[in-house]
């Protein structure tokens, strides 16, 4: 597993966040729990104040955060103890796409979206 560290730069205003929420997006937690993603900022961790609470000692109290930016969700690791991995790669921040497998200290979340927009990194591969 490689370590990927990217610094993504965005220019957006808080009042534009609602328009940037990816439609029909959701997590499947541990293959069984459905969690709809309907907010511009979603905090994830063990602490009860989080939007998505994962009651597992491998998950930090404030483990990660999702932010809707320019129509995509961007996942940020919040200096967690167990780390945040997307498709097996350690990340500090990254855009997530449908069918991405996210590991928060070993707890698996699968990101998905009904009728997702085309991926910009794959546009030229479809003829």
């Amino acid at each position: 597993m490689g370590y990927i560290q990217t610094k993504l730069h965005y220019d957006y205003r808080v009042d534009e966040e609602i328009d940037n929420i990816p439609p029909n997006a959701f997590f499947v937690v541990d293959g069984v729990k459905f969690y709809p993603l309907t907010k511009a900022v979603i905090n994830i961790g063990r602490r009860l104040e989080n939007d998505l609470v994962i009651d597992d000692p491998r998950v930090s109290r404030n483990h990660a955060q999702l932010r809707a930016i320019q129509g995509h969700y961007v996942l940020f690791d919040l200096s967690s103890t167990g780390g945040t991995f997307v498709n097996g790669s350690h990340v500090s921040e990254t855009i997530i796409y449908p069918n991405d497998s996210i590991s928060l200290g070993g707890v698996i979340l699968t990101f998905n979206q009904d009728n997702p927009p085309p991926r910009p990194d794959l546009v030229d591969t479809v003829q």
Side-chain angles (χ1 to χ4, degrees), residues 33-97:
K33 299 176 194 162
F34 176 84
Y35 183 84
L37 304 173
T38 58
K39 295 172 60 177
V41 177
I42 298 170
N43 292 306
I44 307 167
R46 233 178 38 239
R47 191 175 299 242
L48 294 177
E49 293 79 19
N50 286 303
D51 300 297
L52 174 52
V53 177
I54 301 175
D55 187 20
D56 187 299
R58 299 172 293 172
V59 175
S60 295
R61 287 182 207 89
N62 297 306
H63 198 108
Q65 184 179 75
L66 273 184
R67 295 183 205 157
I69 301 174
Q70 297 178 354
H72 296 279
Y73 271 117
V74 180
L75 179 67
F76 294 86
D77 180 79
L78 300 178
S79 300
S80 65
T81 303
T84 299
F85 296 80
V86 175
N87 300 324
S89 295
H90 192 231
V91 298
S92 59
E93 60 184 69
T94 190
I95 296 172
I96 57 174
Y97 295 100

